[in-house]
Amino acid sequence: MWQHEDTEIQHAEDVHDEARGMRGVRFTIDIGHIDPLDAAALWWDQHGQARELFPGTACTMQSGSYREPSFVLRTSVDLPGIGAFMQTARYSAQRESPDVVVISADVFEENMLWSRGIVTSRFSPGSGGTTQLEVTSLYAPRVPITILNQASFAAARAHQRRYLSGRRPTAEEREQFLAAIGAV
């Protein structure tokens, strides 16, 4: 079992994909009173995420668009103490059921932190009208895996703060995401 101090993170555990030589963490976090599709729409908009969570990040769409079920995006940002950080990832979205959406990111470009990463984010109804976010982060790490696991926790908490502060998708963000999952 993954050891953590944060009581907001539920059901955390170490995960391994021996065939790919990857390891990481799976956890669940309650992200508040937001519809799962709205939460996923905010997550899907990587340009919006970058502006709100990581100011100064440059995003370049390599292929596809936010209206399609898959796109490739290159991001770069200067990280304090590290310097220039770049990643290229293929994002894909699918609707598992009317209330459940899964967004996957296959981070296939090698960088200073990993040679490959796969992150799956599953948005589903929680108790009392909340939404549960289940994250599975797997990496072929170049740094200690605990650093990448902590970064996954921190990213989920940052998204949680967006939702709890009342941030909801714009009409355009929602419409793009619904088009991507074939719901329009």
Side-chain angles (χ1 to χ4, degrees):
M1 179 69 155
W2 173 254
Q3 299 297 310
H4 60 87
E5 310 262 333
D6 191 334
T7 57
E8 295 174 343
I9 304 294
Q10 306 160 12
H11 311 292
E13 62 183 317
D14 287 324
V15 290
H16 303 274
D17 182 334
E18 299 303 328
R20 294 181 182 163
M22 301 176 86
R23 54 200 166 127
V25 66
R26 177 180 299 120
F27 61 91
T28 303
I29 184 171
D30 185 314
I31 56 176
H33 292 276
I34 183 171
D35 179 84
L37 293 178
D38 284 349
L42 283 174
W43 195 279
W44 186 246
D45 178 12
Q46 295 294 304
H47 284 82
Q49 268 191 54
R51 279 190 309 276
E52 293 174 26
L53 298 178
F54 309 103
T57 300
C59 298
T60 306
M61 191 70 72
Q62 301 287 305
S63 68
S65 76
Y66 291 126
R67 299 184 59 77
E68 298 174 35
S70 180
F71 62 86
V72 175
L73 186 75
R74 181 174 178 78
T75 57
S76 61
V77 65
D78 282 327
L79 296 176
I82 295 177
F85 173 79
M86 290 179 271
Q87 75 174 28
T88 302
R90 177 173 290 101
Y91 295 85
S92 59
Q94 67 179 23
R95 195 172 195 175
E96 284 188 350
S97 69
D99 298 6
V100 179
V101 179
V102 176
I103 297 175
S104 299
D106 181 355
V107 188
F108 56 84
E109 180 181 47
E110 292 188 31
N111 61 42
M112 65 187 80
L113 301 177
W114 57 74
S115 58
R116 184 168 181 209
I118 298 174
V119 179
T120 304
S121 304
R122 184 177 188 271
F123 299 84
S124 62
S127 61
T130 63
T131 289
Q132 294 288 304
L133 170 61
E134 179 185 292
V135 176
T136 303
S137 297
L138 288 165
Y139 296 97
R142 293 186 170 189
V143 297
I145 193 64
T146 55
I147 293 171
L148 299 175
N149 289 346
Q150 290 298 328
S152 292
F153 291 147
R157 281 194 226 81
H159 285 285
Q160 180 191 48
R161 285 190 297 277
R162 287 173 83 199
Y163 306 136
L164 292 175
S165 73
R167 174 70 163 88
R168 296 300 180 261
T170 64
E172 180 183 14
E173 288 168 332
R174 185 168 171 74
E175 194 250 322
Q176 288 179 146
F177 185 67
L178 292 175
I181 61 171
V184 288

